[in-house]
Amino acid sequence: MATSIHVGVDLGGTKIEALALTRDGRELLRRRVATPSHSLEAIVAAVRDLVLGVEHELGSAATVGVATPGSLSPVRRVMRNSNTVVLNGAPLDELLAAALAREVRIANDANCFALSEATDGAGAGQGVVFGVILGTGTGGGVVVDGRPLVGANAIAGEWGHNPLPWGDGDDLPAPACYCGKRGCIETYLSGPALERDHRDRTGEALDARAIASRAQGGDAACAATLARYLRRLGKALASVVNVVDPDVIVLGGGVSNIEALYAGVVEPLAAHVFSDVLRTQVLRARHGDSSGVRGAAWLWGRARGE
Ligand SMILES: [Zn+2]
């Protein structure tokens, strides 16, 4: 479709958000509705109505990209791994294409986050960008020269369910993960994991933000929790650097708002990268919570150099 407007849709478990972007990344219009998560048909209809409504308001046709947890299986072309469980097993791209009478591109929300930050965010202009979401869960996506790396199994960047590397006594016993395995990176680095770690050690129930601010204020137990988190983050990111060697690692999600992460992760990261130098920068996402929906819009964006 020859159009200069790209609509991104962030299809989350509680809300569906649509954002219209111009070709140069300017935000034209944003609309959101609650996700009718009980019904596949209702979700497809809600996405259709949002997109058609945005097009109507703008008086222009648009391309449509969708960010969602989980991904399309590369063989069966049906959704898998989504926490909006009615989507699992559904040929979501075909259903949306039929509802909207056009091709619709779908990608994992962490891949969309990485694409957004690589296109015009903290990783703009960089060759290899690893985007990490440290939120309710822990996801990742890789963008190379402005294009998302999908991979043969459409699982590239899905780093949260690798085991935490270089585990030491502090990291044991390995926590159980909802995926059925133990010791997944997500069980150490998600927001709930940080809070659980602090609670298990101290009996104190604090959210991630409170742990960080008390650590800064000199609370020894909170500082120790943050130090354990930084060491784990450094180790987990080092295993990525040793494989894809990104120019930039961009952090998003609720935990990424902890300012102390950015200076604090450098030492444990450098200590585990198999290199005499560490040139990889670890940066905070520029577009914050908007990166998923912006990256969905960029699924139809211009490639680098165009
Ligand atoms: Zn897992």
Side-chain angles (χ1 to χ4, degrees):
M1 187 186 297
T3 169
S4 57
I5 295 176
H6 304 302
V7 170
V9 176
D10 189 358
L11 173 44
T14 56
K15 66 171 174 60
I16 306 174
E17 182 170 57
L19 173 68
L21 288 186
T22 61
R23 261 180 73 86
D24 57 2
R26 198 158 47 85
E27 300 190 3
L28 295 173
L29 191 63
R30 188 187 289 261
R31 294 287 179 267
R32 64 169 62 176
V33 295
T35 305
S37 56
H38 60 284
S39 157
L40 174 64
E41 290 72 26
I43 289 173
V44 170
V47 172
R48 178 198 63 206
D49 293 348
L50 261 185
V51 171
L52 296 181
V54 166
E55 287 183 322
H56 183 73
E57 284 191 56
L58 294 173
S60 173
T63 62
V64 180
V66 176
T68 187
S71 59
L72 286 170
S73 164
V75 177
R76 296 174 55 224
R77 304 297 301 170
V78 297
M79 289 294 294
R80 60 182 179 182
N81 300 343
S82 178
N83 53 5
T84 304
V85 290
V86 297
L87 297 180
N88 290 325
L92 188 60
D93 56 344
E94 285 177 25
L95 295 172
L96 290 173
L100 286 161
R102 77 197 76 173
E103 187 189 342
V104 172
R105 293 183 179 168
I106 293 182
N108 171 263
D109 53 1
N111 287 19
C112 289
F113 166 81
L115 179 59
S116 165
E117 291 297 323
T119 300
D120 60 0
Q126 303 287 339
V128 179
V129 176
F130 182 54
V132 179
I133 295 181
L134 302 171
T136 313
T138 302
V142 182
V143 174
V144 180
D145 293 335
R147 293 182 187 278
L149 181 69
V150 176
N153 306 293
I155 208 70
E158 211 43 84
W159 149 92
H161 297 276
N162 279 8
L164 184 77
W166 299 287
D168 57 36
D170 245 6
D171 303 325
L172 296 173
C177 184
Y178 77 88
C179 75
K181 298 190 168 62
R182 300 189 76 87
C184 293
I185 285 169
E186 178 164 307
T187 68
Y188 295 98
L189 296 185
S190 70
L194 169 61
E195 292 159 10
R196 189 207 58 235
D197 183 50
H198 186 74
R199 201 172 55 239
D200 287 353
R201 299 288 178 123
T202 65
E204 229 178 8
L206 294 176
D207 65 17
R209 183 187 301 258
I211 293 167
S213 72
R214 289 194 190 191
Q216 196 175 17
D219 180 306
C222 289
T225 298
L226 195 58
R228 284 193 301 279
Y229 187 88
L230 284 168
R231 201 159 58 245
R232 292 164 180 165
L233 181 62
K235 291 190 288 195
L237 292 178
S239 68
V240 174
V241 174
N242 284 342
V243 178
V244 298
D245 205 2
D247 297 282
V248 176
I249 296 169
V250 185
L251 306 184
V255 181
S256 74
N257 294 320
I258 298 176
E259 196 53 50
L261 293 190
Y262 299 91
V265 76
V266 173
E267 192 273 329
L269 173 58
H272 292 89
V273 170
F274 192 56
S275 165
D276 61 330
V277 293
L278 177 67
R279 300 200 296 174
T280 303
Q281 292 179 278
V282 181
L283 301 174
R284 187 174 183 158
R286 179 181 299 167
H287 296 296
D289 291 343
S290 288
S291 254
V293 74
R294 289 182 66 93
W298 287 132
L299 291 171
W300 289 92
R302 61 194 186 282
R304 180 80 46 82
E306 280 178 23

